[in-house]
Amino acid sequence: MDGMMVTGSEKMLARKADGIGWMTFNNPERHNAVSMEMWQAAERILTDFIADDAVRVVVVTGAGGKAFVSGADISKFESERSSEEAVNAYQAQTAKVYDLLYACPKPTIAMIQGHCIGGGTALAVCCDLRICGETASFGVPAAKLGLGYPISGLRKLVDVVGPSFAKEIFFTAKRWTSEEARIMGLVNRVVPNDKLEEFVVGYATTIAGNAPLTVASSKAIINEAVKDRGAADEAMCDRLVKACFASEDYVEGRRAFMEKRKPQFKGR
């Protein structure tokens, strides 16, 4: 059903419209820095989007136009990360959202305006596609802060940009422009700032209109294809392909093509 969702946090917004689930980090006064409460709300939102068959694409973005997500909310460190136990709880919740987004069976798009720094970059690389405005900037300043990044996060970045660019991003800890990010492969598309949402809506609408089983199976199979040979679950991939050919949507796709009309896919 289209409309806004109750998230349990005013700093996390969720909306469903035309097959698209929108999750917005809504802390613009702090460049969309993320608190524990926001991470918990993000988990609830993503869980709902994944379970809702009406949601065919998930878009993640930040409010205010100046930042996508800028990482942890430092103003909350004293209350949320002042002890080892609290730090571990925060990191576990963050990892839970990253993993939930990365493993989402539906296509995910990061719509990026402004700064995409640290945890924001980590969140963006959990998405399937990253589309940004011309003035977006990216960076992981861990080497300027003395932070360590776990292999799970680094692996996602390496999968997107390759090991050489991943090393450059981490070694230099510098800020990268949208065009530099595009060259690295960190983003798929760079569009004018004032056309960003329109472009993303168009992309998401196109994807939402395609056969859900085909889209979901291609996502799963591509994720298997990048694994080392022998590590991929080829039997699962075969099952997904067979399920597409056995679906009602395959019949609908053929009929629509022959009848020269737009297919109406139902995901079954």
Side-chain angles (χ1 to χ4, degrees):
M1 183 177 180
D2 289 356
M4 298 293 292
M5 285 173 51
V6 176
T7 68
S9 171
E10 64 181 12
K11 294 189 179 299
M12 290 299 299
L13 306 178
R15 178 170 60 92
K16 301 175 185 179
D18 302 320
I20 306 168
W22 295 82
M23 181 170 76
T24 303
F25 288 79
N26 185 39
N27 193 14
E29 64 274 13
R30 294 191 178 278
H31 297 286
N32 296 321
V34 192
S35 66
M36 182 67 147
E37 177 187 278
M38 292 169 68
W39 285 123
Q40 291 168 338
E43 180 187 358
R44 291 192 294 272
I45 293 167
L46 290 174
T47 299
D48 177 80
F49 285 172
I50 290 169
D52 189 345
D53 289 340
V55 175
R56 295 189 177 181
V57 182
V58 174
V59 176
V60 181
T61 192
K66 293 183 178 180
F68 175 64
V69 171
S70 59
D73 189 344
I74 297 174
S75 71
K76 298 286 187 178
F77 273 27
E78 187 61 31
S79 60
E80 296 182 351
R81 302 178 76 177
S82 59
S83 69
E84 182 179 355
E85 182 180 358
V87 168
N88 290 340
Y90 181 92
Q91 290 179 334
Q93 182 62 40
T94 303
K96 192 180 295 184
V97 173
Y98 288 162
D99 290 344
L100 195 60
L101 183 60
Y102 183 76
C104 177
K106 303 172 183 185
T108 55
I109 301 173
M111 184 176 81
I112 302 165
Q113 287 182 305
H115 307 305
C116 182
I117 308 299
T121 299
L123 186 71
V125 297
C126 290
C127 294
D128 297 311
L129 306 176
R130 286 152 297 282
I131 302 173
C132 73
E134 290 175 320
T135 58
S137 62
F138 301 81
V140 183
K144 292 182 177 179
L145 299 170
L147 301 176
Y149 262 66
I151 188 172
S152 58
L154 285 171
R155 181 179 287 120
K156 293 180 178 71
L157 179 64
V158 172
D159 285 345
V160 171
V161 303
S164 183
F165 278 132
K167 289 173 183 176
E168 189 174 3
I169 289 169
F170 267 84
F171 291 176
T172 64
K174 66 168 284 188
R175 194 75 63 89
W176 306 91
T177 67
S178 61
E179 179 59 17
E180 289 171 326
R182 187 193 64 78
I183 291 170
M184 290 178 179
L186 185 56
V187 297
N188 297 76
R189 298 282 182 266
V190 179
V191 299
N193 292 339
D194 61 350
K195 300 293 184 182
L196 179 60
E197 184 169 348
E198 177 186 347
F199 186 91
V200 170
V201 169
Y203 244 49
T205 301
T206 294
I207 295 169
N210 289 333
L213 292 178
T214 301
V215 172
S217 67
S218 64
K219 174 172 179 172
I221 293 169
I222 289 168
N223 286 345
E224 292 297 311
V226 298
K227 294 179 180 178
D228 292 336
R229 288 192 177 276
D233 187 344
E234 296 192 16
M236 180 269 286
C237 295
D238 289 342
R239 288 196 299 272
L240 292 175
V241 172
K242 289 177 181 177
C244 289
F245 283 114
S247 69
E248 293 177 20
D249 280 352
Y250 179 50
V251 176
E252 167 64 9
R254 299 198 317 271
R255 287 177 177 170
F257 180 80
M258 296 301 293
E259 296 168 8
K260 297 182 180 180
R261 60 174 174 81
K262 184 177 179 179
Q264 300 297 317
F265 294 120
K266 298 179 180 178
R268 59 176 187 263

